[in-house]
Amino acid sequence: MGRQARLAPALALAMLWLPLSGTRAEAQDVRCEPGEPEVRRLIFTGNRALPDYVLERGIETTQSSWLRRTLRIGGQRYCVDSRLIERDSARLSTEFQARGFPGVRVTPRVTPAGEGAVAVEFLIEEGRPILVDSLVFDGLDSVPDRERVLRDLPIELRDRFDIYQVEATRDTITRRLRDNGYPIAEVLRSYNTYVDERRAELTYTAVTGPRARIGAITITVAPRPGERAEIDPDRVRRTLGLREGQLYRETSLENVKRGLYQTGAFRSVDISIDSTSLLADADSLVTIAVTLHESELRAARASLGWGNLDCLRAQFSHTNYNFLGTLRRLDLATRVSKVGIDPPFDVARGLCTSQLRNDPLSDTLNYYLSATLTQAALFGLRVIPSLTLYSERRSEYQAFIRDTPIGVVGAVQQGVDGQLPRTYSYQMEYGRTIAQPAFFCAVFNVCEDAAREQLEELTRSAALGYSITRTRANELVNPTNGSVVRLDWRHASPWVGSSPEIQFNRFTLDAALYRRAFSAGAFVVRLRGGAVLGSRLSFSGGPAFIPVEERLYAGGPNTVRGYQQNELGPAIYLPDAFSIDTIPGSGDTLAYFRANPDSTGERVVPTGGDNLIVANAELRLRSPILPEIVQWALFVDAGQVWNRGRAGTGVNFSDLRTTPGVGVRVFTAFGPIRVDVGYNPYQRPAGPAYFNPIGTGAEGETVRLICVSPGNTLRVRLADETRPPMPVDEGDCPATYSPARRATFLSRLTFQFSIGQPF
């Protein structure tokens, strides 16, 4: 049978090992004695089961900091200590034994690495691992849904005998039992290892105890010191989501606890089982004791900031966590941005970027006022409704202004206690959209001022919305492992209260995958796609009216960073120089207007589109300088925006634009402050070019935009004393205007400044 051996000693020693989530063993003296060699490199050779960064964080020997190793100045210097190397060899050996390699051999080697420096290398021979060839589960025969309890365990038959996975399996079974009605369940484990045969026998024995249901629920609310309680325990009871008679599930109690914390009304929440209620009979009832300590029930916040497309911005909010004593939350919020552009705040105009000062759609103060009432929980924590009243004015850079005197949004959140939270919403607003005349002409074929002004009138719009998010990322601000997937759908039609002119279906899908890279970095892949369909719900055919604010845009700090905000995809141009070619035989009254090829001052008007694809790949690395707060990033972004129908050429994947770049993030209390530089080798896409004549026509004649695209054959009646120049021919303005190509390397760089990770 071979020599039988227990790995318990190895397990005991392995508890000294510091896992990746912990802190490096810091017993090494950072002060180097005179003459001691510096550790220039730390190398692990032969390890396959564990990556280098895990091994590095679990030993004491440390290589000098990156700055010290690279530039030989500054940074932290670490030196060789033979005693530490011996201990580290034992640590590594113990760790690999606990991971299922009983015959591992670790040999340290110190070699010269320059003047006064050495390289410390640990040669690791893992050897043949022990495999689990017998896996038994006892005590689960009477457990309902036994197969589900044993599904996808951390360790399975023929896996390597990793003592950490052995313990994780025990914890997993225990947790699943306690989430299936067994509040006092415990799982014991035993094993035999046969080192010579490289095999192990593993047995788990479950002591389930009685299956229980929830009986009485006691609630105690403690006020703040020196004050009286403001929250009614009966109101808390109605929002718990627990009811007498339901099967005991530990996860449900954890979700209730998290939900009570999320109300913001409590500074401490304790939910436990009254031990005296644990009975020996089957299907016993247990008493749940809920103890709450009130927090401050009112809070106010204010902030001031700056953004390259917002100039000065500020916001203020006030929250009442127990509005009218109902455990409902009332949020009052106000935000202003683009302060410094519009009088009387233009005294701060010098603080705004030139691109913002030169955008005619950004010369108005943006604001948002809202009042939101949120029920702490309805029918437990399964459904959370909210109602928002708001008034807003916002401008999208070089695209449009959306002015909404009044709007209302009703939303219901489901599954907030799970991994698939869903939101159902209904939005109705009374507002208007203002855009460049060329935008309406090229995108919607509305070129006359009278028709355009009709589109800019206040209109009722309503939309149903649905979104679902699947979150499995390990962190919220800076995830390094897991994934996040979000799907959004919006529908507008007269059936839901919208005006007949506004009908669309809008779909977007956003998915990001995070994987740990190197010692404390991450590799991130993200894909975003979207489509907007008109009332025919068709991917082909002629153009349909889609509100400007519902169109899809790309370019900017969170999509394709080689382009400025919204500037990827179709665009319209307003060149500052064009020629007038008189048509022979017209008596000098008709001419062609055509942009000069050397025009350099054109204004770009992004039109957005109804199809969008954006793909990002980013490698985030811990900085060798100030690694706790600085992170570097290497990225490649790709994407494109298309229009179906008359305004564009349709979806063509050969049109994808790829822009590489680098970035830096500095982590602060406000989130990561981010600077990205993208390289864009492409010229701007060709598009229609227009001239907007100033003046009014004779006898109320409407002034129309004049096409100045090169090669166009649309005749224009020249100006006289009574009227400005006017187009004579109807027809599309050809997309033949091509802006000047970026000639130098610096002109191809695009700088992005923002707060927060891009995805």
Side-chain angles (χ1 to χ4, degrees):
M1 179 179 293
R3 181 169 56 91
Q4 179 176 347
R6 295 278 186 179
L7 288 186
L11 174 61
L13 290 174
M15 294 300 102
L16 299 175
W17 184 267
L18 296 178
L20 177 62
S21 60
T23 307
R24 170 189 292 278
E26 293 289 358
Q28 179 176 357
D29 191 346
V30 299
R31 297 168 298 179
C32 294
E33 298 296 333
E36 287 186 337
E38 176 185 350
V39 179
R40 189 69 51 79
R41 286 186 297 164
L42 182 59
I43 308 167
F44 301 94
T45 305
N47 53 303
R48 294 184 300 274
L50 298 176
D52 289 358
Y53 67 85
V54 173
L55 303 180
E56 181 180 349
R57 291 179 67 91
I59 64 175
E60 297 175 87
T61 300
T62 309
Q63 62 184 352
S64 296
S65 65
W66 178 88
L67 188 64
R68 175 74 187 182
R69 300 194 317 267
T70 305
L71 303 179
R72 307 290 191 269
I73 57 173
Q76 184 62 59
R77 181 171 178 258
Y78 293 95
C79 292
V80 171
D81 187 325
S82 58
R83 294 170 301 173
L84 293 185
I85 293 178
E86 292 176 2
R87 287 209 299 263
D88 287 341
S89 297
R91 280 173 172 263
L92 292 170
S93 179
T94 300
E95 174 67 7
F96 275 92
Q97 289 177 30
R99 297 286 187 171
F101 297 97
V104 66
R105 294 178 58 187
V106 179
T107 305
R109 184 167 65 183
V110 180
T111 57
E115 184 178 355
V118 296
V120 177
E121 181 179 12
F122 291 96
L123 303 173
I124 301 170
E125 299 177 48
E126 293 178 345
R128 191 158 59 96
I130 295 177
L131 301 180
V132 177
D133 74 340
S134 175
L135 185 58
V136 178
F137 300 97
D138 290 332
L140 298 175
D141 293 341
S142 62
V143 173
D145 206 1
R146 177 180 184 274
E147 293 75 15
R148 188 173 183 179
V149 173
L150 300 179
R151 184 184 305 162
D152 298 327
L153 293 172
I155 199 165
E156 296 181 352
L157 200 63
R158 305 307 300 169
D159 281 354
R160 176 162 43 86
F161 186 78
D162 185 327
I163 199 66
Y164 297 107
Q165 298 304 314
V166 170
E167 296 301 315
T169 299
R170 179 176 64 175
D171 294 341
T172 300
I173 297 173
T174 303
R175 186 176 65 252
R176 290 176 180 178
L177 287 173
R178 293 183 180 180
D179 204 34
N180 195 26
Y182 298 95
I184 59 173
E186 294 290 346
V187 177
L188 309 176
R189 60 106 180 98
S190 61
Y191 56 84
N192 291 320
T193 57
Y194 303 88
V195 176
D196 291 346
E197 302 174 27
R198 293 298 193 269
R199 68 184 185 88
E201 298 173 346
L202 181 58
T203 300
Y204 291 95
T205 302
V207 183
T208 62
R211 200 162 192 242
R213 297 182 178 274
I214 294 178
I217 302 173
T218 64
I219 299 175
T220 303
V221 179
R224 296 181 301 280
E227 301 185 21
R228 62 178 181 83
E230 298 185 43
I231 298 176
D232 184 357
D234 289 336
R235 174 65 62 176
V236 176
R237 186 184 307 277
R238 291 195 291 270
T239 65
L240 281 180
L242 299 176
R243 67 181 186 279
E244 294 184 8
Q246 77 179 64
L247 190 66
Y248 175 88
R249 297 188 187 278
E250 196 166 77
T251 300
S252 296
L253 300 187
E254 294 171 355
N255 291 335
V256 168
K257 186 174 183 178
R258 182 169 62 250
L260 289 172
Y261 269 120
Q262 289 175 347
T263 65
F266 307 104
R267 58 184 173 86
S268 70
V269 177
D270 180 69
I271 301 179
S272 59
I273 301 175
D274 185 345
S275 59
T276 62
S277 65
L278 294 172
L279 305 176
D281 359 54
D283 289 328
S284 61
L285 296 178
V286 295
T287 299
I288 303 298
V290 180
T291 304
L292 308 170
H293 290 81
E294 288 184 0
S295 180
E296 292 289 341
L297 298 180
R298 295 162 190 82
R301 305 172 188 84
S303 64
L304 180 68
W306 179 91
N308 60 331
L309 293 180
D310 280 341
C311 198
L312 293 177
R313 59 191 179 196
Q315 63 181 19
F316 174 81
S317 64
H318 174 79
T319 301
N320 186 328
Y321 297 101
N322 190 34
F323 182 61
L324 298 180
T326 59
L327 203 57
R328 294 186 177 97
R329 173 171 172 164
L330 176 65
D331 291 282
L332 303 177
T334 178
R335 297 195 303 267
V336 292
S337 62
K338 303 195 176 177
V339 180
I341 296 292
D342 191 34
F345 305 107
D346 52 352
V347 292
R349 192 175 180 86
L351 297 176
C352 305
T353 60
S354 59
Q355 62 186 129
L356 195 67
R357 294 196 301 267
N358 295 330
D359 178 21
L361 297 176
S362 296
D363 63 353
T364 304
L365 181 72
N366 284 201
Y367 72 89
Y368 179 79
L369 302 171
S370 72
T372 301
L373 183 64
T374 305
Q375 171 67 48
L378 186 64
F379 309 124
L381 293 173
R382 299 178 182 85
V383 178
I384 298 180
S386 65
L387 180 67
T388 300
L389 296 175
Y390 66 92
S391 179
E392 177 186 32
R393 181 192 295 128
R394 62 184 172 91
S395 59
E396 194 69 29
Y397 177 67
Q398 290 192 350
F400 62 85
I401 296 175
R402 181 63 180 170
D403 192 1
T404 307
I406 184 66
V408 60
V409 178
V412 173
Q413 291 182 316
Q414 269 190 322
V416 293
D417 56 345
Q419 291 186 336
L420 289 174
R422 302 172 299 282
T423 301
Y424 305 86
S425 64
Y426 178 77
Q427 179 179 14
M428 177 177 285
E429 61 183 32
Y430 189 61
R432 61 175 181 164
T433 300
I434 302 170
Q436 291 275 1
F439 186 100
F440 285 105
C441 188
V443 176
F444 303 124
N445 199 25
V446 177
C447 300
E448 296 185 356
D449 284 356
R452 176 176 55 80
E453 290 171 0
Q454 184 177 359
L455 288 179
E456 292 182 341
E457 292 179 355
L458 291 170
T459 306
R460 184 186 73 257
S461 63
L464 282 175
Y466 173 77
S467 69
I468 182 170
T469 304
R470 177 182 178 273
T471 302
R472 290 189 175 178
N474 61 341
E475 292 183 30
L476 179 64
V477 176
N478 186 39
T480 57
N481 197 35
S483 62
V484 177
V485 180
R486 179 182 175 90
L487 173 67
D488 290 279
W489 168 69
R490 282 172 60 81
H491 166 78
S493 70
W495 290 95
V496 298
S498 186
S499 64
E501 296 82 11
I502 301 178
Q503 301 186 53
F504 63 86
N505 286 274
R506 186 178 191 265
F507 305 87
T508 58
L509 175 66
D510 204 321
L513 178 67
Y514 306 88
R515 287 293 180 266
R516 196 179 301 277
F518 302 102
S519 60
F523 180 69
V524 188
V525 178
R526 183 262 202 126
L527 179 66
R528 176 176 172 81
V532 187
L533 312 178
S535 57
R536 285 183 295 278
L537 196 61
S538 170
F539 281 97
S540 60
F545 176 72
I546 299 170
V548 177
E549 65 274 11
E550 298 292 345
R551 295 176 68 81
L552 302 170
Y553 296 86
N558 297 324
T559 54
V560 181
R561 284 162 281 188
Y563 289 83
Q564 292 292 359
Q565 187 74 19
N566 300 331
E567 291 190 1
L568 174 62
I572 300 166
Y573 301 98
L574 303 177
D576 61 351
F578 54 87
S579 60
I580 302 175
D581 301 329
T582 304
I583 300 176
S586 65
D588 294 337
T589 60
L590 297 178
Y592 298 120
F593 278 48
R594 290 162 178 167
N596 295 343
D598 57 350
S599 177
T600 58
E602 75 273 350
R603 182 174 299 281
V604 182
V605 182
T607 66
D610 45 32
N611 287 271
L612 163 74
I613 289 181
V614 171
N616 311 90
E618 181 170 282
L619 179 62
R620 301 171 183 171
L621 301 171
R622 185 175 61 179
S623 170
I625 304 173
L626 301 177
E628 300 303 322
I629 63 173
V630 179
Q631 183 185 72
W632 295 96
L634 304 173
F635 62 82
V636 177
D637 301 332
Q640 188 55 274
V641 178
W642 296 275
N643 278 304
R644 299 182 306 274
R646 187 193 64 82
T649 59
V651 176
N652 187 346
F653 290 100
S654 63
D655 294 334
L656 289 174
R657 297 291 182 258
T658 303
T659 62
V662 298
V664 62
R665 294 93 168 91
V666 179
F667 291 88
T668 69
F670 306 101
I673 297 176
R674 177 162 55 96
V675 179
D676 291 320
V677 183
Y679 177 74
N680 184 349
Y682 306 99
Q683 72 176 106
R684 293 186 184 276
Y690 291 91
F691 163 62
N692 189 17
I694 305 300
T696 58
E699 298 179 358
E701 183 179 9
T702 301
V703 176
R704 295 179 56 193
L705 291 170
I706 296 174
C707 175
V708 296
S709 294
N712 84 84
T713 57
L714 301 175
R715 294 174 298 169
V716 178
R717 183 190 303 116
L718 295 178
D720 57 29
E721 295 179 355
T722 61
R723 55 190 169 189
M726 288 289 294
V728 173
D729 299 321
E730 298 288 343
D732 290 346
C733 185
T736 55
Y737 180 81
S738 296
R741 181 182 294 273
R742 298 179 176 94
T744 65
F745 176 80
L746 290 179
S747 68
R748 297 174 181 175
L749 298 181
T750 304
F751 292 83
Q752 308 282 359
F753 303 91
S754 56
I755 296 179
Q757 294 285 21
F759 35 80

